[in-house]
Amino acid sequence: MKVSVLVPVYNMEKYLGKCLQSLCEQTLSDIEILCINDGSTDASKTIIESFCLKDSRVKMIDKKNTGYGNSMNIGMDQAKGKYLAIVESDDFVEPDMMKKLYEKAEIHQLDVVKSSFYSYTDEDGIEENQYADLFNDLTMDEVFCPLHKSRLFIKMQTIWSALYNRNFLFENHIRFHETPGASYQDVSFAFQVYACAKRMMLIPDAFYHYRIDNVHSSVKAPDKVFCVCDELEKIESFIVERHRDVEQLRMIASRLGYRIMMETYHNLAEVFQYALFLKMTEYLRNYKKAGFIYEEMWEKEATETVEEILDDPKKYFMKTAKSFQDDRLMSDICLNQRIYTEAVLERILSSSRILIYGAGKLGTKFLGYLRESGYTDEKISFAVTSMQGNEPYVSGISVHPLEFYQKQKKEATVVLAVKGQSQFEIADRLERQGFSEVISLDHRIWKYLLKFGMVRHSRD
């Protein structure tokens, strides 16, 4: 078997047929097409089965929904080809993609061969392809070691427009990060590939049509907000385990982390921007302290942005966050506000322990919501800055200064039930003290709770 094509599938009935048809029409015939069905609830499984009947090279791996990373690892384990390709189920490819990439890989004995791609849209029957000149500042059609071309690491992680030598992946223990959902796992995978590859080639040809008009592919759901941080932690673990090129890889990882976090921050729904911004500020502060920020790798504009953020985080946040933009620009976000708000509350209720920061009227209101939702009192506590002016118990729940909960800072979710103008400073302080999960109850959440009768109205 020359090439195994991995096609991860989850509820993609609208585009899946076009994707699989393009793979069945490949001019390189000695391939297998492994469709990993990740518990789809639409007609995706039926579509795969129909292709299996038409073409014996199409095979289905049917499994419960465990996420993108797990699906890809299962596909890698079951693949038989000398090379692996990845094709997302809402995209499609040119007929000669596998043949051209395979020939390059064989002739030059490559660990990885990577092509460019087209950004593809199909609106009202009008198809458009825009060539992505992704590698215009890198050497083409020559064998190189990625560690000698560190700019490659911070390019868009297009893991699907390539062939990977299967033995190379397994010998270097390169795997996908099995985090929930399907967000950013390509970041740590690409980083591992580039760090380990000795022989790689970029070619200017474009064979892959990357669909950018699929509204369901964007990463805006709240359970995916911190997936970028999970991937950066995965990269750090990989660097530590590697035991070589550590300083260079950490330098590269910091620049990559900045790019990914900034992109996510600007694309994120407003209700979650604040939480990610605090995480990003913490990362940037650590990068600067470690000496990983310098102009050659970061460019002047990037270093100036970092300095602007660290010099006055609150000012930068108020300048760039969607919450402070013209209301006319917020209409599309407002349409989805209920979905986002419900997800925030669900995230809080799924916590193993909740610290309500603020034992006043707002904190008491939120305590009532938690009780109405069935959350047990044993897992709830109040945290305050100082006990001065506070009672030791509120509605039967103990109240302690924040220092009392230091041992719980990794497991507890801190819910800020304080006036909006002081939330930024408090959240920043909590982050600095090591509390890993801090959620602000902003005016949108209170409005939602009041509207649906989850808390009682008051003059506050």
Side-chain angles (χ1 to χ4, degrees), residues 162-180:
L163 283 190
Y164 306 92
N165 184 295
R166 184 172 175 274
N167 284 340
F168 155 73
L169 294 177
F170 279 84
E171 287 170 2
N172 287 280
H173 309 289
I174 296 172
R175 308 286 285 175
F176 281 86
H177 197 194
E178 297 192 5
T179 47

Side-chain angles (χ1 to χ4, degrees), residues 101-356:
L101 294 183
Y102 175 79
E103 289 175 347
K104 287 284 187 182
E106 283 291 281
I107 292 171
H108 299 284
Q109 293 298 292
L110 301 174
D111 298 320
V112 187
V113 56
K114 188 168 183 56
S115 66
S116 192
F117 64 96
Y118 298 106
S119 293
Y120 171 83
T121 60
D122 180 5
E123 297 181 1
D124 300 322
I126 301 175
E127 295 181 285
E128 289 189 12
N129 283 291
Q130 182 69 43
Y131 178 80
D133 195 8
L134 195 62
F135 310 118
N136 60 339
D137 57 343
L138 295 171
T139 304
M140 294 285 184
D141 289 316
E142 290 184 11
V143 179
F144 69 96
C145 172
L147 278 174
H148 300 154
K149 305 281 186 180
S150 56
R151 296 291 304 172
L152 174 66
F153 283 78
I154 61 175
K155 300 287 186 179
M156 177 181 175
Q157 276 67 41
T158 55
I159 62 172
W160 22 257
S161 57
L163 283 190
Y164 306 92
N165 184 295
R166 184 172 175 274
N167 284 340
F168 155 73
L169 294 177
F170 279 84
E171 287 170 2
N172 287 280
H173 309 289
I174 296 172
R175 308 286 285 175
F176 281 86
H177 197 194
E178 297 192 5
T179 47
S183 301
Y184 301 107
Q185 286 94 336
D186 49 358
V187 173
S188 61
F189 180 82
F191 189 93
Q192 293 173 81
V193 168
Y194 298 156
C196 295
K198 300 297 185 209
R199 298 181 62 80
M200 181 173 178
M201 180 180 286
L202 300 173
I203 60 175
D205 310 66
F207 309 103
Y208 194 101
H209 298 264
Y210 170 55
R211 188 182 294 276
I212 60 175
D213 58 2
N214 179 7
V215 296
H216 301 294
S217 65
S218 59
V219 181
K220 294 183 179 179
D223 59 335
K224 300 178 181 179
V225 170
F226 295 113
C227 286
V228 60
C229 300
D230 293 335
E231 290 303 297
L232 295 178
E233 290 172 7
K234 168 69 174 176
I235 288 172
E236 176 61 22
S237 297
F238 163 78
I239 294 173
V240 171
E241 293 167 1
R242 183 174 164 83
H243 297 305
R244 63 182 186 275
D245 309 309
V246 172
E247 288 305 305
Q248 181 186 4
L249 289 175
R250 279 186 168 149
M251 189 81 72
I252 294 170
S254 67
R255 181 62 181 85
L256 172 63
Y258 167 77
R259 181 182 74 77
I260 297 295
M261 285 188 290
M262 285 296 283
E263 287 180 2
T264 306
Y265 169 69
H266 288 297
N267 291 329
L268 207 54
E270 60 163 330
V271 71
F272 302 115
Q273 277 189 308
Y274 176 68
L276 182 60
F277 179 75
L278 291 175
K279 280 287 185 185
M280 180 171 68
T281 303
E282 178 187 346
Y283 271 95
L284 295 179
R285 191 177 291 115
N286 291 336
Y287 291 159
K288 183 176 181 179
K289 184 178 180 180
F292 291 152
I293 299 175
Y294 71 106
E295 290 188 12
E296 181 184 349
M297 184 73 186
W298 283 67
E299 310 94 24
K300 185 177 180 181
E301 182 181 353
T303 55
E304 288 177 348
T305 301
V306 172
E307 292 298 334
E308 184 181 0
I309 293 172
L310 297 182
D311 182 58
D312 192 337
K314 183 176 181 178
K315 181 179 179 181
Y316 185 88
F317 179 75
M318 293 183 70
K319 184 178 80 170
T320 58
K322 294 174 181 176
S323 300
F324 300 96
Q325 306 305 311
D326 191 325
D327 288 342
R328 289 173 297 176
L329 302 178
M330 297 302 297
S331 58
D332 57 332
I333 296 174
C334 292
L335 291 174
N336 294 310
Q337 194 60 59
R338 177 175 176 176
I339 297 173
Y340 292 130
T341 303
E342 288 174 346
V344 172
L345 295 171
E346 183 179 343
R347 185 185 183 100
I348 293 172
L349 292 174
S350 66
S351 304
S352 59
R353 182 160 190 80
I354 296 175
L355 298 182
I356 304 175

